[in-house]
Amino acid sequence: MEKRKLGNTDLFVSKLGFGCMSLPTDEKKAKEIIACAIDSGIQFFDTADLYDYGANEKIVGEALKPVRDRVVIATKVGNRWKEEKDGWYWGPSKTYIKDAVKYSLKRLGTDYIDLYQLHGGTLDDPIDDIIEAFEQLKEEGLIRHYGISSIRPNVIEQYAKKSNIASVMMQYNILDRRPEEQAIPLLQEKGISMLARGPLAKGLLTDRFDEKTSETVQQNGYINYRYPELRDVYHRLKETFEPNRTMTQVSLQFVLANPTVAAAVVGASSIGQLLENVNAVHSNPLSEHELETIKKFTKRNRYENHRIR
């Protein structure tokens, strides 16, 4: 599978990344899916200390241990579980980040993390202290590179200006083109990669639109699409690309066509889902005409809050 350079680093990641949050909690099944991902050419795995109270990191670390030197492991920090484990809160202090990394390393069973990401972010955070924590972790050899996971352009701008982040993980797909307005131009200017999460819009951008349309989507829509608009856009795209392409192929190739995107990060809770995603990234890239057709059918929506002034 093609690998793409991550920002201005020496790190290369498979263009299909595996989002580990969707892994089954059954350890045997989870490890089977990860093994299939490795056999399929995926070498970029993204988890977080928040997932399953850290159990996700442990499963991922054990599954990747035999191939540790051939894979890129990313995890995240900043959200803290309450003692009662009935929720979490945001608390990304320098001290917490430097403590939390040790627990992630232990659960992952590794001496270093390839990409350590801030799992959110606000302008009220102690941004300079957070950057200092990540830089110190790099100097100590506990992490190779760092980034943030955020959809807020004004927060992304601060880290892009002040730090050496390699990447920004943010939602980007055919129906959610908000990053195109402010975030993507900023990342391009700074040589920072995007890790695109949610490229299939929770299944709405696959061939299972009706099955994946929840009551919430029917009532509230998705981003700034009302449900009738969603249905209309979906069927117009299907009519345009069938029978040569599946919607999964169209959706992943749309995201990967953006030069800022290093990887489309997609989860899979079964081997069947995984192989569908793998086949999609191996399909032919979209032509310029096809990309323009998609853009014509969809909205170039924008973030209403957290804008760069």
Side-chain angles (χ1 to χ4, degrees):
M1 183 178 295
E2 177 193 344
K3 295 181 181 66
R4 296 182 173 184
K5 193 169 186 272
L6 190 72
N8 292 317
T9 75
D10 58 354
L11 204 60
F12 285 78
V13 295
S14 53
K15 66 180 180 180
L16 178 63
F18 193 97
C20 299
M21 184 174 69
S22 60
L23 281 170
T25 53
D26 181 291
E27 190 171 329
K28 183 174 181 293
K29 290 181 181 177
K31 288 181 176 179
E32 287 173 351
I33 295 171
I34 291 175
C36 183
I38 294 167
D39 290 343
S40 300
I42 295 173
Q43 51 76 274
F44 177 48
F45 295 84
D46 175 74
T47 180
D49 59 4
L50 187 70
Y51 302 160
D52 298 323
Y53 313 104
N56 192 276
E57 283 185 324
K58 189 175 181 187
I59 290 173
V60 170
E62 288 178 357
L64 297 179
K65 190 171 184 179
V67 292
R68 179 64 185 98
D69 61 335
R70 295 193 280 120
V71 297
V72 174
I73 297 178
T75 191
K76 309 183 196 74
V77 65
N79 292 297
R80 309 194 204 185
W81 280 106
K82 296 178 182 177
E83 285 188 25
E84 301 80 10
K85 299 291 176 72
D86 60 351
W88 62 84
Y89 63 98
W90 181 241
S93 70
K94 177 180 177 180
T95 301
Y96 178 73
I97 290 170
K98 295 203 70 176
D99 283 342
V101 72
K102 297 170 187 174
Y103 294 108
S104 284
L105 287 167
K106 184 175 181 180
R107 286 189 292 264
L108 289 164
T110 185
D111 296 329
Y112 65 95
I113 293 165
D114 296 290
L115 180 66
Y116 203 35
Q117 302 161 101
L118 187 68
H119 203 174
T122 75
L123 292 181
D124 294 328
D125 295 338
I127 293 176
D128 291 338
D129 288 348
I130 290 169
I131 294 169
E132 190 173 334
F134 283 117
E135 288 291 346
Q136 288 178 1
L137 292 176
K138 276 184 71 174
E139 290 174 11
E140 294 165 14
L142 298 180
I143 67 173
R144 293 179 66 188
H145 303 287
Y146 64 97
I148 65 171
S149 176
S150 175
I151 62 170
R152 299 179 173 186
N154 55 2
V155 172
I156 294 168
E157 180 190 40
Q158 291 301 304
Y159 285 92
K161 284 181 176 180
K162 295 182 173 184
S163 76
N164 296 307
I165 55 171
S167 60
V168 175
M169 179 174 284
M170 60 192 315
Q171 179 168 289
Y172 180 49
N173 60 52
I174 287 172
L175 299 171
D176 186 359
R177 295 174 52 205
R178 292 176 295 177
E180 294 177 3
E181 186 202 2
Q182 291 192 328
I184 287 177
L186 174 64
L187 298 184
Q188 287 177 329
E189 177 191 340
K190 299 292 185 179
I192 299 166
S193 289
M194 179 197 287
L195 299 172
R197 64 173 177 82
L200 301 179
K202 297 182 179 179
L204 294 175
L205 291 171
T206 68
D207 288 334
R208 297 180 295 279
F209 176 82
D210 292 329
E211 176 190 333
K212 295 296 183 179
T213 304
S214 63
E215 282 189 26
T216 301
V217 169
Q218 291 184 35
Q219 292 172 5
N220 303 324
Y222 178 83
I223 311 297
N224 61 338
Y225 287 87
R226 293 178 293 109
Y227 175 62
E229 291 179 297
L230 278 178
R231 191 176 52 204
D232 179 61
V233 167
Y234 177 80
H235 286 294
R236 290 178 78 179
L237 290 171
K238 285 281 285 183
E239 290 167 5
T240 299
F241 290 99
E242 279 189 331
N244 298 320
R245 289 185 183 270
T246 67
M247 277 303 296
T248 300
Q249 291 173 350
V250 173
S251 302
L252 292 184
Q253 291 298 339
F254 173 81
V255 167
L256 291 169
N258 193 298
T260 309
V261 174
V265 182
V266 192
S269 56
S270 70
I271 288 176
Q273 283 183 348
L274 169 66
L275 294 178
E276 180 181 342
N277 298 334
V278 170
N279 290 335
V281 300
H282 284 311
S283 64
N284 291 329
L286 296 172
S287 67
E288 285 299 321
H289 174 71
E290 288 173 322
L291 288 168
E292 288 305 314
T293 299
I294 292 170
K295 291 176 180 177
K296 183 176 70 175
F297 288 165
T298 58
K299 299 178 183 180
R300 192 177 184 187
N301 31 32
R302 49 177 265 167
Y303 291 111
E304 296 304 324
N305 300 313
H306 314 295
R307 298 181 58 76
I308 298 173
R309 300 294 180 186

